[in-house]
Amino acid sequence: MGRVFAISLEGKIYSCKHCGTHLALTDDIISKNFHSRHGKAYLFNRVVNVSLGEKEERVMMTGSHVVADIFCVKCGSVVGWKYETAQEKAQKYKEGKSVLERFKLCGPDGSWINHIVGSDGDD
């Protein structure tokens, strides 16, 4: 595999807590009302510097969705998932959007969440 050329973002940035690679801007957050195994998760309109895993159907709290895990392109950490398709009409707005798990990110102020759910410094 060759050298990774990551996109650098300007502004308030969320980055991978393992390697610091830029992943998303705060301006691209659609919702902070998502949850994952590790606590809070944010729905983003746009994320960068990620690669997609295999598509699979998952039953989530809001119904059945086809999703693909997303990985940091630099360190390979799973940082969230991308919604490919949603079965329910009310959930179609998620298609093409990505969820990043807050536990796996450094926030815009450089902080990262610990194991205590609700300890976000940037909420």
Side-chain angles (χ1 to χ4, degrees):
M1 190 163 128
R3 183 179 170 156
V4 173
F5 290 98
I7 296 169
S8 291
L9 299 173
E10 298 289 327
K12 292 184 178 183
I13 300 163
Y14 284 98
S15 57
C16 176
K17 85 171 185 182
H18 298 287
C19 68
T21 299
H22 293 180
L23 299 174
L25 292 168
T26 58
D27 291 344
D28 288 325
I29 293 175
I30 296 169
S31 174
K32 289 186 176 185
N33 293 324
F34 280 69
H35 300 279
S36 69
R37 288 184 217 126
H38 300 105
K40 291 183 178 188
Y42 299 164
L43 181 68
F44 286 85
N45 193 44
R46 177 180 175 250
V47 296
V48 297
N49 300 323
V50 296
S51 60
L52 288 174
E54 295 291 322
K55 294 178 186 178
E56 62 182 49
E57 189 164 346
R58 290 186 195 159
V59 177
M60 301 176 144
M61 292 190 312
T62 57
S64 181
H65 303 277
V66 175
V67 300
D69 285 335
I70 52 178
F71 302 86
C72 172
V73 294
K74 186 171 181 184
C75 70
S77 296
V78 176
V79 292
W81 65 90
K82 181 177 181 179
Y83 287 101
E84 297 293 337
T85 59
Q87 300 301 321
E88 296 181 31
K89 191 174 185 177
Q91 300 299 313
K92 293 287 187 185
Y93 76 96
K94 295 177 183 175
E95 292 181 347
K97 310 293 189 290
S98 298
V99 172
L100 296 178
E101 296 184 62
R102 186 66 184 97
F103 176 75
K104 300 186 179 181
L105 306 175
C106 282
D109 62 356
S111 66
W112 56 278
I113 192 168
N114 59 28
H115 289 286
I116 302 169
V117 175
S119 63
D120 264 335
D122 64 343
D123 277 348

